[in-house]
Amino acid sequence: MTRDDTGGTAAVDAVVVGAGFSGLYMSHRLRELGLSVQVFEKAPDVGGTWYWNRYPGARCDSESHIYCYSFSEEIRDEWVWSERYPEQPEILEYLRFAADHLDLREQISFETAVESATFDGDAGTWTVETDDGESVTSQFFISAVGCLSEPYIPDFDNRSAFEGEIYHTARWPQDGVDLDGKRVGIIGTGSTGIQLTPEVADRAGHLTVFQRTPNYAVPARNRPLEDDEWAEIKANYDEIWEDARFSWLGMPFEMTHATTAGMSDEEIRDALEDGWQAGGFRFLHTFEDTLFNDDTNEIVSEFLREKIREQVEDPETAEKLVPTAHPYGSKRPPMDYGGYYETFNREHVTLADVAENPITEFTPEGIQTTADHYDLGTVIFATGFDAMTGALLAMDIEGRDGHVLEEEWEGGPRTYLGLGVDGFPNLFTITGPQSPSVLSNMPVSIEQHVDWIADCIEYMQSEGYEYIEPQSAAAERWVSQTNMLANEMLFSEAESWYRGANVPDKPRVFTPFPGGVETYRRECERVVENGYEGFDFAESLGPLGTSAD
Ligand code: FAD
Ligand code: N01
């Protein structure tokens, strides 16, 4: 059955929220299974991340040949990436091409935000309500809302008093922003701020970068992809993807060394130089224990600190840019696409250390810190996202027997495998909390989640099951395992968005699964081989939630 256009309640087999990498592939797989699907997407087009993040310099830092879908030979054969790390318009064009090729647009309602989803215990269906007053019922409710899609804007005093222009990088205007000759301020030095800074410096009359925490940026070493290189990738495509699927980060790179222990200083330096020259995430593959071993990490961090000092002429500015309070990799490693550190050598660029002198308020003319006033015409928030749970919890989700997701997750998210939540039958969360998601090259993880969900629904169809729900004990175990693994690594040594630390009052828990893409995939496969261990299935609602596990 398809949704009726009258605004009345209608029934579909599945509602999918979001039309980025996840929602597009999910709706394709469901349609292949013969299900009727309704996709809701806030934006006026497909693309997700790549629709919204149009700021100057936006590009991926996964390499293009693996930052894409692998499931369709036709898409793969028809598409040619231009660069090692393509820019936002090219990635958006790719996702548009994929949506058109798979003929997915007809089932998507654009410019429609899902506001709530309520499980009706009598009917055994989800009722999904949108911001345009529409109401749809469905058997399955599938979230593809993205881990990094709910922008975070700090609540600075007097922001509305500012008489200039304010932008967030993840809500960048379609027609761009005129920055030429302007006095611009950028707040934030995460991956986004670091990509943005050199680009804005090229255009602005004066640029002030407000930095709270310095970061370790490694050169991305972007370049065009040559024809012969692309031909070789295509010739070995299946092998490359198989390596990515059974890897640590969803990237087909080998670790160069297990550890620094037993190596001479010169050997270590040479290995790090090789990683530095290779660039991007290949650098992180220099030593396997970088995120586990304090000694190795300190060597790697110190190498990067020296590299920063070499690039910045003024020693005082250099020291402000050198991270000392957190180990490399404990925050998401950013990439440098074009002289980030060298930008601070330019006459018209100022670094404002807002850890030392915090921002106190906005004024009509700019930003006041505890030390100085900065006159600005344009302020760009590169302040990131309410990550992992922000977009999910922006919807009011109520499961069976009055389980409300926001209340259940007051102390932090709790899922089984990042795929489902106990108390919420037939809800699936693509790249949900406690899955590898943001700790991986995401298309690899997205395809794995979508395939797992689609295969599970196919299994339900073949067995005559109407409902699936994780067991509480299984979710409990999975969350403990995720936390245990995170505690064995260096993640707890940084105030990062991985731990919800960037958003005031958010629970401080580590949200992604840090055990690696391969380990996670094998666990998901093992769960299926053991008859979907940890999940309950039922033909009617009665038995759900009663399993003693
Ligand atoms: P998204 O692309 O975030 O799509 C989610 C969609 O859901 C959005 O379109 C949103 O509008 C919609 N939505 C949300 N809530 C609702 C609602 N209530 N109702 C209706 N619609 C809703 N990952 C990598 O692996 N490698 C990279 O190099 C990389 N680069 C990145 C660069 C930037 C600037 C950012 C922000 C992220 C990057 N990521 C990268 C992560 C990126 O988010 C994922 O790779 C991927 O695009 C996620 O796809 P998705 O479909 O799961 O989510
Ligand atoms: O966001 P972030 P992002 N006062 O949260 C600062 C992906 N991504 O958009 O570190 C002052 O990392 C905050 O300071 P601090 C990638 O996964 C990928 O940059 O909290 N400053 C920080 O510097 C990435 O990790 C790519 O002390 C404040 C910055 O704002 C994720 O998206 C490109 C502040 C936010 O950094 C998010 O990256 C871009 C305050 N009150 C993004 N509040 C590529 O692939 C926050 N900050 C290339």
Side-chain angles (χ1 to χ4, degrees):
M1 222 183 313
T2 49
R3 187 174 58 88
D4 77 33
D5 295 328
T6 63
T9 298
V12 289
D13 294 319
V15 163
V16 175
V17 194
F21 266 106
S22 297
L24 292 176
Y25 182 39
M26 189 76 251
S27 59
H28 170 66
R29 280 293 320 259
L30 293 174
R31 209 179 45 180
E32 275 191 334
L33 289 177
L35 269 64
S36 57
V37 185
Q38 171 63 55
V39 182
F40 290 113
E41 169 54 64
K42 250 189 244 188
D45 201 350
V46 300
T49 291
W50 303 103
Y51 173 83
W52 295 109
N53 291 266
R54 297 161 183 262
Y55 59 84
R59 42 173 101 237
C60 57
D61 58 11
S62 295
E63 298 190 17
S64 53
H65 66 288
I66 45 157
Y67 194 68
C68 51
Y69 292 125
S70 74
F71 69 87
S72 161
E73 260 182 51
E74 287 172 17
I75 292 178
R76 156 185 128 186
D77 288 344
E78 281 184 40
W79 191 263
V80 179
W81 291 108
S82 66
E83 291 179 275
R84 185 177 177 188
Y85 310 101
E87 275 193 288
Q88 171 269 332
E90 189 172 340
I91 308 172
L92 178 58
E93 208 40 52
Y94 169 79
L95 287 166
R96 285 181 171 146
F97 162 74
D100 291 336
H101 180 84
L102 300 169
D103 196 17
L104 297 176
R105 286 181 189 269
E106 212 171 294
Q107 51 196 353
I108 307 174
S109 288
F110 291 108
E111 295 183 88
T112 311
V114 169
E115 290 193 327
S116 68
T118 311
F119 189 76
D120 177 340
D122 295 327
T125 54
W126 285 92
T127 302
V128 179
E129 294 188 315
T130 69
D131 61 351
D132 62 5
E134 227 176 306
S135 175
V136 181
T137 61
S138 64
Q139 180 182 4
F140 296 103
F141 178 62
I142 304 179
S143 165
V145 294
C147 301
L148 296 162
S149 64
E150 190 74 16
Y152 168 63
I153 300 187
D155 190 16
F156 293 114
D157 282 349
N158 281 336
R159 207 177 62 212
S160 57
F162 181 55
E163 287 171 357
E165 295 170 21
I166 294 189
Y167 301 97
H168 189 286
T169 48
R171 289 294 178 269
W172 201 255
Q174 291 247 20
D175 298 333
V177 176
D178 180 11
L179 298 168
D180 291 345
K182 302 269 172 70
R183 293 188 69 80
V184 181
I186 296 177
I187 305 176
T189 52
S191 299
T192 300
I194 285 173
Q195 271 191 333
L196 182 69
T197 292
E199 301 277 336
V200 175
D202 281 346
R203 300 192 208 168
H206 191 276
L207 170 64
T208 305
V209 176
F210 296 87
Q211 171 193 272
R212 189 166 64 180
T213 309
N215 229 323
Y216 302 91
V218 167
R221 307 217 181 273
N222 191 28
R223 53 180 167 72
L225 280 180
E226 305 298 341
D227 289 349
D228 54 345
E229 197 176 358
W230 192 228
E232 197 182 326
I233 288 169
K234 287 210 165 180
N236 297 297
Y237 202 82
D238 291 336
E239 202 179 313
I240 290 170
W241 268 81
E242 206 53 11
D243 287 348
R245 289 187 193 108
F246 291 92
S247 66
W248 176 45
L249 291 182
M251 298 178 184
F253 313 143
E254 295 285 330
M255 287 289 174
T256 319
H257 300 275
T259 178
T260 50
M263 291 172 76
S264 69
D265 290 350
E266 201 184 343
E267 285 166 342
I268 291 171
R269 175 97 205 161
D270 287 349
L272 287 167
E273 271 300 340
D274 288 348
W276 178 260
Q277 291 308 326
F281 275 101
R282 293 180 194 245
F283 178 78
L284 189 57
H285 287 74
T286 308
F287 298 111
E288 199 169 352
D289 62 352
T290 300
L291 298 186
F292 294 90
N293 182 329
D294 288 319
D295 295 338
T296 296
N297 192 289
E298 182 51 23
I299 290 169
V300 176
S301 299
E302 195 47 35
F303 173 86
L304 293 173
R305 291 181 195 123
E306 273 313 305
K307 289 289 186 190
I308 296 169
R309 292 185 181 107
E310 282 167 18
Q311 294 171 78
V312 183
E313 285 161 10
D314 172 41
E316 208 178 310
T317 307
E319 283 321 303
K320 286 186 194 304
L321 286 163
V322 166
T324 50
H326 69 277
Y328 170 66
S330 57
K331 283 178 164 235
R332 209 286 200 164
M335 304 300 160
D336 177 4
Y337 293 83
Y340 171 67
Y341 294 108
E342 283 148 353
T343 300
F344 294 96
N345 298 333
R346 299 177 72 172
E347 281 289 309
H348 70 301
V349 178
T350 304
L351 180 67
D353 181 344
V354 295
E356 197 178 334
N357 299 301
I359 294 172
T360 52
E361 62 171 348
F362 275 61
T363 68
E365 296 81 27
I367 289 179
Q368 179 70 50
T369 70
T370 52
D372 294 295
H373 185 271
Y374 295 87
D375 287 341
L376 302 166
T378 306
V379 174
I380 304 174
F381 283 82
T383 46
F385 301 88
D386 181 353
M388 303 301 292
T389 53
L392 252 173
L393 294 178
M395 300 180 285
D396 292 327
I397 302 180
E398 188 173 333
R400 66 172 167 78
D401 306 326
H403 289 277
V404 173
L405 195 64
E406 198 167 8
E407 290 169 8
E408 305 277 317
W409 285 8
E410 232 165 41
R414 208 181 78 126
T415 72
Y416 181 37
L417 298 169
L419 280 161
V421 187
D422 55 303
F424 297 79
N426 291 355
L427 164 73
F428 290 108
T429 50
I430 305 173
T431 66
Q434 287 114 19
S435 75
S437 59
V438 292
L439 289 181
S440 68
N441 171 41
M442 289 197 69
V444 170
S445 291
I446 287 168
E447 284 195 350
Q448 186 258 337
H449 258 199
V450 169
D451 287 337
W452 194 98
I453 294 165
D455 292 349
C456 175
I457 290 175
E458 191 173 21
Y459 169 78
M460 289 173 71
Q461 287 176 327
S462 71
E463 299 294 316
Y465 291 131
E466 292 292 321
Y467 302 100
I468 177 173
E469 187 183 315
Q471 295 161 1
S472 299
E476 207 68 63
R477 271 200 307 273
W478 184 249
V479 174
S480 305
Q481 198 174 330
T482 299
N483 291 340
M484 194 189 70
L485 285 167
N487 290 337
E488 286 169 3
M489 302 174 78
L490 299 177
F491 290 117
S492 58
E493 295 185 30
E495 295 293 299
S496 69
W497 61 257
Y498 292 147
R499 300 173 60 223
N502 61 328
V503 177
D505 301 330
K506 207 174 163 174
R508 296 286 174 94
V509 287
F510 192 79
T511 33
F513 173 78
V517 164
E518 176 177 8
T519 306
Y520 176 79
R521 177 182 290 271
R522 292 197 192 282
E523 179 60 14
C524 289
E525 287 174 357
R526 193 191 65 75
V527 162
V528 174
E529 279 156 19
N530 289 353
Y532 287 90
E533 185 181 308
F535 286 95
D536 284 333
F537 291 98
E539 289 167 26
S540 66
L541 274 176
L544 289 181
T546 57
S547 168
D549 187 38

